Amino acid sequence: MEQEKDNKTLYTFIIYTENLPGLLSQITAVFTRRQVNIESLNVSASSIKGVHKYTITAFTDQEGAEMIVKQTERKVDVVKADYYLHNEVFLIEAAMFKLSTPIVLAHQEISRQIRHSQARITEVNSTFCIVSMAGVTEQILDLFRKLNEFPGCVLQYARSGRIVVTRSCQEKVNAFLHERGKAIDAEDNL
């Protein structure tokens, strides 16, 4: 199921970079110049020592996705960039809800919705309770909408960006780094 908005498809961009200051602004500038709004952004260390992984989602067309990847890879400190459709990755997001304890206690339906969504209550006091949930965007937004039907119930809400791994056995960056290593070794032997 591909997500679409204004005839654009939601793409997940995975960008590997060296861990240097200022790269985030350079990468987001590529999206800004192409007038593509970033829907979510997650940055973390990758499984490769010294390499960070940026996971960015944005609505664009295939030509726009290709241009973003090409322009991003031109950055000196970018190791590799790729784009993926929804069915090419495993993904998850996290969300936290701070809910009014008195309203939760007054409406059993709220607890039912939390259980039905496979969310869990992680903290409770007389003023508020914290609910955490992991899932895909649609599931998280569905719970938010249901909780929001109870006036004053949702005190705070936060959702993370996507956490993604590709469906292939190894990410494309591994093959790229392996080939680059062979090329460097060949140059050293000249």
Side-chain angles (χ1 to χ4, degrees):
M1 169 189 79
E2 294 307 325
Q3 295 176 331
E4 292 193 15
K5 179 174 152 184
D6 300 329
N7 296 322
K8 307 272 181 174
T9 302
L10 184 66
Y11 285 93
T12 299
F13 296 87
I14 300 177
I15 302 163
Y16 291 91
T17 71
E18 294 181 35
N19 184 17
L20 298 171
L23 282 176
L24 178 60
S25 64
Q26 290 181 41
I27 290 169
T28 57
V30 172
F31 288 82
T32 303
R33 279 194 300 274
R34 299 209 51 79
Q35 296 183 342
V36 173
N37 188 44
I38 292 173
E39 296 293 320
S40 72
L41 170 69
N42 185 342
V43 182
S44 65
S46 74
S47 59
I48 303 163
K49 185 177 179 179
V51 176
H52 269 58
K53 179 179 181 178
Y54 293 69
T55 305
I56 300 171
T57 60
F59 285 98
T60 188
D61 54 26
Q62 185 170 352
E63 182 182 338
E66 290 169 359
M67 290 304 297
I68 287 169
V69 165
K70 285 178 185 174
Q71 289 174 356
T72 302
E73 284 188 329
R74 287 189 195 134
K75 303 293 179 197
V76 174
D77 302 312
V78 170
V79 176
K80 182 83 175 120
D82 286 298
Y83 65 90
Y84 300 88
L85 293 170
H86 185 77
N87 63 348
E88 297 173 311
V89 294
F90 292 104
L91 64 100
I92 196 163
E93 293 180 17
M96 290 183 71
F97 305 84
K98 182 187 271 187
L99 307 178
S100 167
T101 300
I103 293 175
V104 171
L105 293 174
H107 302 280
Q108 290 181 342
E109 179 62 22
I110 295 172
S111 295
R112 241 188 314 276
Q113 289 298 335
I114 292 168
R115 284 191 309 277
H116 183 264
S117 299
Q118 297 180 348
R120 51 178 228 204
I121 298 173
T122 57
E123 175 75 30
V124 179
N125 64 39
S126 60
T127 308
F128 62 84
C129 59
I130 303 296
V131 174
S132 60
M133 178 182 182
V136 295
T137 309
E138 296 81 14
Q139 294 168 328
I140 292 169
L141 292 176
D142 185 51
L143 178 58
F144 175 71
R145 282 189 289 273
K146 288 175 180 172
L147 294 173
N148 227 14
E149 289 175 4
F150 298 90
C153 179
V154 179
L155 303 174
Q156 292 181 35
Y157 163 70
R159 191 179 90 218
S160 72
R162 284 184 173 183
I163 300 170
V164 175
V165 293
T166 63
R167 290 188 178 266
S168 60
C169 290
Q170 284 193 325
E171 294 193 66
K172 294 177 185 177
V173 71
N174 293 337
F176 173 79
L177 290 172
H178 180 72
E179 289 302 314
R180 189 169 87 174
K182 281 186 191 176
I184 290 171
D185 289 344
E187 288 175 12
D188 289 345
N189 290 330
L190 291 179

